[in-house]
mmCIF file of all heavy atoms in Angstrom:
data_model
loop_
_atom_site.group_PDB
_atom_site.id
_atom_site.type_symbol
_atom_site.label_atom_id
_atom_site.label_comp_id
_atom_site.label_asym_id
_atom_site.label_seq_id
_atom_site.Cartn_x
_atom_site.Cartn_y
_atom_site.Cartn_z
ATOM 1 N N LYS A 10 78.513 35.944 30.853
ATOM 2 C CA LYS A 10 77.592 35.107 31.572
ATOM 3 C C LYS A 10 78.297 33.824 32.179
ATOM 4 O O LYS A 10 77.733 33.026 32.903
ATOM 5 C CB LYS A 10 76.464 34.631 30.745
ATOM 6 C CG LYS A 10 75.508 35.757 30.255
ATOM 7 C CD LYS A 10 74.788 36.415 31.408
ATOM 8 C CE LYS A 10 73.810 37.479 30.823
ATOM 9 N NZ LYS A 10 73.127 38.258 31.828
ATOM 10 N N SER A 11 79.597 33.684 31.706
ATOM 11 C CA SER A 11 80.336 32.530 32.194
ATOM 12 C C SER A 11 81.475 32.923 33.225
ATOM 13 O O SER A 11 82.046 33.975 33.017
ATOM 14 C CB SER A 11 80.941 31.891 31.022
ATOM 15 O OG SER A 11 81.983 32.657 30.363
ATOM 16 N N LYS A 12 81.675 32.142 34.218
ATOM 17 C CA LYS A 12 82.598 32.445 35.257
ATOM 18 C C LYS A 12 83.991 32.013 34.735
ATOM 19 O O LYS A 12 84.154 31.009 33.956
ATOM 20 C CB LYS A 12 82.334 31.598 36.543
ATOM 21 C CG LYS A 12 81.102 32.106 37.170
ATOM 22 C CD LYS A 12 80.878 31.271 38.485
ATOM 23 C CE LYS A 12 79.515 31.769 39.211
ATOM 24 N NZ LYS A 12 79.347 30.990 40.476
ATOM 25 N N PRO A 13 85.059 32.735 34.925
ATOM 26 C CA PRO A 13 85.136 33.986 35.683
ATOM 27 C C PRO A 13 84.907 35.230 34.898
ATOM 28 O O PRO A 13 85.077 36.360 35.520
ATOM 29 C CB PRO A 13 86.575 33.895 36.200
ATOM 30 C CG PRO A 13 87.269 33.293 35.099
ATOM 31 C CD PRO A 13 86.401 32.326 34.519
ATOM 32 N N LEU A 14 84.547 35.207 33.659
ATOM 33 C CA LEU A 14 84.360 36.370 32.817
ATOM 34 C C LEU A 14 83.153 37.144 33.192
ATOM 35 O O LEU A 14 82.795 38.180 32.570
ATOM 36 C CB LEU A 14 84.266 35.992 31.302
ATOM 37 C CG LEU A 14 85.654 35.464 30.731
ATOM 38 C CD1 LEU A 14 85.467 35.010 29.289
ATOM 39 C CD2 LEU A 14 86.713 36.576 30.842
ATOM 40 N N ASN A 15 82.297 36.575 34.126
ATOM 41 C CA ASN A 15 81.174 37.397 34.697
ATOM 42 C C ASN A 15 81.715 38.618 35.484
ATOM 43 O O ASN A 15 80.943 39.506 35.737
ATOM 44 C CB ASN A 15 80.194 36.504 35.518
ATOM 45 C CG ASN A 15 80.940 35.843 36.674
ATOM 46 O OD1 ASN A 15 82.094 35.520 36.573
ATOM 47 N ND2 ASN A 15 80.186 35.780 37.783
ATOM 48 N N GLU A 16 83.012 38.616 35.832
ATOM 49 C CA GLU A 16 83.543 39.770 36.588
ATOM 50 C C GLU A 16 84.019 40.795 35.552
ATOM 51 O O GLU A 16 85.038 40.442 34.700
ATOM 52 C CB GLU A 16 84.678 39.366 37.524
ATOM 53 C CG GLU A 16 84.216 38.468 38.639
ATOM 54 C CD GLU A 16 85.331 38.136 39.604
ATOM 55 O OE1 GLU A 16 86.016 39.113 40.127
ATOM 56 O OE2 GLU A 16 85.666 36.923 39.784
ATOM 57 N N LEU A 17 83.684 41.962 35.608
ATOM 58 C CA LEU A 17 84.157 43.091 34.761
ATOM 59 C C LEU A 17 85.651 43.136 34.868
ATOM 60 O O LEU A 17 86.365 43.344 33.860
ATOM 61 C CB LEU A 17 83.572 44.406 35.194
ATOM 62 C CG LEU A 17 84.040 45.582 34.362
ATOM 63 C CD1 LEU A 17 83.889 45.408 32.865
ATOM 64 C CD2 LEU A 17 83.420 46.977 34.923
ATOM 65 N N ALA A 18 86.224 43.027 36.037
ATOM 66 C CA ALA A 18 87.675 43.186 36.308
ATOM 67 C C ALA A 18 88.432 42.103 35.516
ATOM 68 O O ALA A 18 89.473 42.318 35.016
ATOM 69 C CB ALA A 18 88.024 43.108 37.742
ATOM 70 N N VAL A 19 87.906 40.897 35.454
ATOM 71 C CA VAL A 19 88.573 39.782 34.757
ATOM 72 C C VAL A 19 88.583 40.139 33.309
ATOM 73 O O VAL A 19 89.521 39.955 32.462
ATOM 74 C CB VAL A 19 87.865 38.441 35.065
ATOM 75 C CG1 VAL A 19 88.500 37.293 34.164
ATOM 76 C CG2 VAL A 19 88.146 38.104 36.485
ATOM 77 N N ARG A 20 87.398 40.480 32.727
ATOM 78 C CA ARG A 20 87.311 40.840 31.229
ATOM 79 C C ARG A 20 88.279 41.964 30.958
ATOM 80 O O ARG A 20 88.955 41.930 29.885
ATOM 81 C CB ARG A 20 85.900 41.204 30.896
ATOM 82 C CG ARG A 20 84.880 40.179 31.183
ATOM 83 C CD ARG A 20 83.555 40.458 30.449
ATOM 84 N NE ARG A 20 82.948 41.684 30.819
ATOM 85 C CZ ARG A 20 82.069 41.862 31.765
ATOM 86 N NH1 ARG A 20 81.888 40.831 32.672
ATOM 87 N NH2 ARG A 20 81.560 43.010 32.079
ATOM 88 N N LYS A 21 88.351 42.950 31.796
ATOM 89 C CA LYS A 21 89.256 44.076 31.515
ATOM 90 C C LYS A 21 90.719 43.640 31.562
ATOM 91 O O LYS A 21 91.537 44.072 30.748
ATOM 92 C CB LYS A 21 89.038 45.198 32.572
ATOM 93 C CG LYS A 21 89.941 46.377 32.499
ATOM 94 C CD LYS A 21 89.614 47.506 33.569
ATOM 95 C CE LYS A 21 90.533 48.679 33.495
ATOM 96 N NZ LYS A 21 90.210 49.679 34.472
ATOM 97 N N ALA A 22 91.010 42.804 32.482
ATOM 98 C CA ALA A 22 92.401 42.254 32.666
ATOM 99 C C ALA A 22 92.762 41.417 31.399
ATOM 100 O O ALA A 22 93.882 41.466 30.893
ATOM 101 C CB ALA A 22 92.620 41.458 33.888
ATOM 102 N N VAL A 23 91.934 40.675 30.907
ATOM 103 C CA VAL A 23 92.070 39.823 29.727
ATOM 104 C C VAL A 23 92.437 40.759 28.445
ATOM 105 O O VAL A 23 93.426 40.502 27.773
ATOM 106 C CB VAL A 23 90.900 39.014 29.358
ATOM 107 C CG1 VAL A 23 91.064 38.417 27.915
ATOM 108 C CG2 VAL A 23 90.737 37.883 30.417
ATOM 109 N N VAL A 24 91.680 41.929 28.382
ATOM 110 C CA VAL A 24 91.992 42.813 27.320
ATOM 111 C C VAL A 24 93.320 43.518 27.464
ATOM 112 O O VAL A 24 94.126 43.693 26.540
ATOM 113 C CB VAL A 24 90.811 43.866 27.193
ATOM 114 C CG1 VAL A 24 91.236 45.028 26.241
ATOM 115 C CG2 VAL A 24 89.529 43.253 26.873
ATOM 116 N N GLN A 25 93.637 43.877 28.752
ATOM 117 C CA GLN A 25 94.885 44.498 29.002
ATOM 118 C C GLN A 25 96.147 43.583 28.750
ATOM 119 O O GLN A 25 97.201 43.915 28.544
ATOM 120 C CB GLN A 25 95.033 44.955 30.516
ATOM 121 C CG GLN A 25 94.012 46.193 30.748
ATOM 122 C CD GLN A 25 93.992 46.479 32.231
ATOM 123 O OE1 GLN A 25 93.943 45.585 33.096
ATOM 124 N NE2 GLN A 25 93.930 47.839 32.537
ATOM 125 N N ALA A 26 95.793 42.245 28.929
ATOM 126 C CA ALA A 26 96.892 41.272 28.703
ATOM 127 C C ALA A 26 97.020 40.808 27.206
ATOM 128 O O ALA A 26 97.966 40.104 26.919
ATOM 129 C CB ALA A 26 96.586 40.011 29.571
ATOM 130 N N PHE A 27 96.131 41.331 26.489
ATOM 131 C CA PHE A 27 95.961 40.931 25.093
ATOM 132 C C PHE A 27 96.981 41.849 24.188
ATOM 133 O O PHE A 27 96.694 43.059 24.059
ATOM 134 C CB PHE A 27 94.569 40.988 24.488
ATOM 135 C CG PHE A 27 94.413 40.656 23.054
ATOM 136 C CD1 PHE A 27 94.852 39.421 22.589
ATOM 137 C CD2 PHE A 27 93.810 41.624 22.190
ATOM 138 C CE1 PHE A 27 94.633 39.195 21.199
ATOM 139 C CE2 PHE A 27 93.715 41.330 20.807
ATOM 140 C CZ PHE A 27 94.026 40.138 20.344
ATOM 141 N N ASP A 28 98.046 41.251 23.638
ATOM 142 C CA ASP A 28 98.943 41.920 22.754
ATOM 143 C C ASP A 28 98.462 41.988 21.351
ATOM 144 O O ASP A 28 98.734 41.041 20.528
ATOM 145 C CB ASP A 28 100.376 41.323 22.872
ATOM 146 C CG ASP A 28 101.394 42.042 22.039
ATOM 147 O OD1 ASP A 28 101.083 42.970 21.427
ATOM 148 O OD2 ASP A 28 102.610 41.543 22.073
ATOM 149 N N VAL A 29 97.635 43.022 20.951
ATOM 150 C CA VAL A 29 96.958 42.933 19.763
ATOM 151 C C VAL A 29 97.947 43.133 18.501
ATOM 152 O O VAL A 29 97.796 42.541 17.540
ATOM 153 C CB VAL A 29 95.896 44.143 19.612
ATOM 154 C CG1 VAL A 29 96.558 45.502 19.679
ATOM 155 C CG2 VAL A 29 95.088 44.012 18.328
ATOM 156 N N ALA A 30 99.093 43.787 18.733
ATOM 157 C CA ALA A 30 100.071 44.043 17.653
ATOM 158 C C ALA A 30 100.649 42.647 17.225
ATOM 159 O O ALA A 30 100.791 42.384 16.054
ATOM 160 C CB ALA A 30 101.170 45.062 18.147
ATOM 161 N N THR A 31 101.070 41.839 18.252
ATOM 162 C CA THR A 31 101.646 40.526 17.975
ATOM 163 C C THR A 31 100.595 39.675 17.330
ATOM 164 O O THR A 31 100.891 38.903 16.416
ATOM 165 C CB THR A 31 102.128 39.959 19.277
ATOM 166 O OG1 THR A 31 103.249 40.763 19.663
ATOM 167 C CG2 THR A 31 102.616 38.502 18.988
ATOM 168 N N TYR A 32 99.375 39.640 17.867
ATOM 169 C CA TYR A 32 98.257 38.867 17.295
ATOM 170 C C TYR A 32 98.077 39.143 15.839
ATOM 171 O O TYR A 32 97.899 38.274 15.055
ATOM 172 C CB TYR A 32 97.009 39.206 18.147
ATOM 173 C CG TYR A 32 95.835 38.262 17.885
ATOM 174 C CD1 TYR A 32 95.697 37.121 18.641
ATOM 175 C CD2 TYR A 32 94.788 38.607 16.959
ATOM 176 C CE1 TYR A 32 94.566 36.300 18.504
ATOM 177 C CE2 TYR A 32 93.617 37.855 16.802
ATOM 178 C CZ TYR A 32 93.546 36.663 17.599
ATOM 179 O OH TYR A 32 92.483 35.885 17.363
ATOM 180 N N ASN A 33 98.065 40.450 15.553
ATOM 181 C CA ASN A 33 97.811 40.807 14.086
ATOM 182 C C ASN A 33 98.974 40.532 13.152
ATOM 183 O O ASN A 33 98.779 40.280 11.947
ATOM 184 C CB ASN A 33 97.354 42.274 14.049
ATOM 185 C CG ASN A 33 95.953 42.563 14.490
ATOM 186 O OD1 ASN A 33 95.191 41.588 14.442
ATOM 187 N ND2 ASN A 33 95.708 43.706 14.887
ATOM 188 N N LYS A 34 100.153 40.529 13.763
ATOM 189 C CA LYS A 34 101.352 40.163 12.947
ATOM 190 C C LYS A 34 101.265 38.672 12.512
ATOM 191 O O LYS A 34 101.558 38.353 11.375
ATOM 192 C CB LYS A 34 102.652 40.328 13.751
ATOM 193 C CG LYS A 34 103.143 41.737 13.795
ATOM 194 C CD LYS A 34 104.438 41.825 14.637
ATOM 195 C CE LYS A 34 104.923 43.361 14.765
ATOM 196 N NZ LYS A 34 106.165 43.337 15.482
ATOM 197 N N ILE A 35 100.716 37.817 13.420
ATOM 198 C CA ILE A 35 100.514 36.391 13.084
ATOM 199 C C ILE A 35 99.437 36.280 12.104
ATOM 200 O O ILE A 35 99.491 35.645 11.075
ATOM 201 C CB ILE A 35 100.167 35.610 14.376
ATOM 202 C CG1 ILE A 35 101.329 35.581 15.407
ATOM 203 C CG2 ILE A 35 99.836 34.249 14.022
ATOM 204 C CD1 ILE A 35 101.009 35.095 16.743
ATOM 205 N N GLN A 36 98.307 37.108 12.283
ATOM 206 C CA GLN A 36 97.147 37.031 11.454
ATOM 207 C C GLN A 36 97.523 37.500 9.978
ATOM 208 O O GLN A 36 96.953 36.886 9.054
ATOM 209 C CB GLN A 36 96.083 38.070 12.046
ATOM 210 C CG GLN A 36 94.749 37.864 11.413
ATOM 211 C CD GLN A 36 93.682 38.531 12.267
ATOM 212 O OE1 GLN A 36 92.588 38.150 12.355
ATOM 213 N NE2 GLN A 36 94.097 39.790 12.854
ATOM 214 N N PHE A 37 98.307 38.480 9.796
ATOM 215 C CA PHE A 37 98.591 39.005 8.489
ATOM 216 C C PHE A 37 99.979 38.510 7.964
ATOM 217 O O PHE A 37 100.494 39.195 7.010
ATOM 218 C CB PHE A 37 98.510 40.513 8.555
ATOM 219 C CG PHE A 37 97.136 40.994 8.876
ATOM 220 C CD1 PHE A 37 97.068 42.115 9.756
ATOM 221 C CD2 PHE A 37 96.022 40.384 8.362
ATOM 222 C CE1 PHE A 37 95.801 42.633 10.064
ATOM 223 C CE2 PHE A 37 94.787 40.844 8.741
ATOM 224 C CZ PHE A 37 94.719 41.940 9.571
ATOM 225 N N GLN A 38 100.620 37.576 8.562
ATOM 226 C CA GLN A 38 101.861 37.147 8.174
ATOM 227 C C GLN A 38 101.937 36.690 6.661
ATOM 228 O O GLN A 38 101.013 35.912 6.217
ATOM 229 C CB GLN A 38 102.348 35.939 9.034
ATOM 230 C CG GLN A 38 103.852 35.448 8.658
ATOM 231 C CD GLN A 38 104.194 34.385 9.596
ATOM 232 O OE1 GLN A 38 103.504 33.616 10.171
ATOM 233 N NE2 GLN A 38 105.494 34.072 9.741
ATOM 234 N N GLY A 39 102.778 37.204 5.907
ATOM 235 C CA GLY A 39 102.932 36.843 4.547
ATOM 236 C C GLY A 39 102.134 37.667 3.586
ATOM 237 O O GLY A 39 102.020 37.499 2.366
ATOM 238 N N MET A 40 101.204 38.598 4.130
ATOM 239 C CA MET A 40 100.319 39.412 3.315
ATOM 240 C C MET A 40 100.875 40.821 3.048
ATOM 241 O O MET A 40 100.306 41.446 2.129
ATOM 242 C CB MET A 40 99.013 39.582 4.046
ATOM 243 C CG MET A 40 98.231 38.272 4.220
ATOM 244 S SD MET A 40 96.583 38.655 4.875
ATOM 245 C CE MET A 40 96.066 36.961 5.334
#
């Protein structure tokens, strides 16, 4: 409901730009 995330293409691009493997390495560091 918020701009610019009201555009499906923007939301999709954000997900495509999101490096989940790196994110989770940070999240689980030391575990």
Side-chain angles (χ1 to χ4, degrees):
K10 297 294 184 183
S11 66
K12 295 181 179 180
L14 291 176
N15 59 323
E16 295 184 57
L17 174 61
V19 173
R20 300 196 301 274
K21 180 178 178 180
V23 168
V24 171
Q25 291 173 321
F27 177 59
D28 182 356
V29 67
T31 295
Y32 190 88
N33 285 337
K34 281 182 182 178
I35 296 170
Q36 190 167 216
F37 299 139
Q38 187 178 15
M40 295 186 191

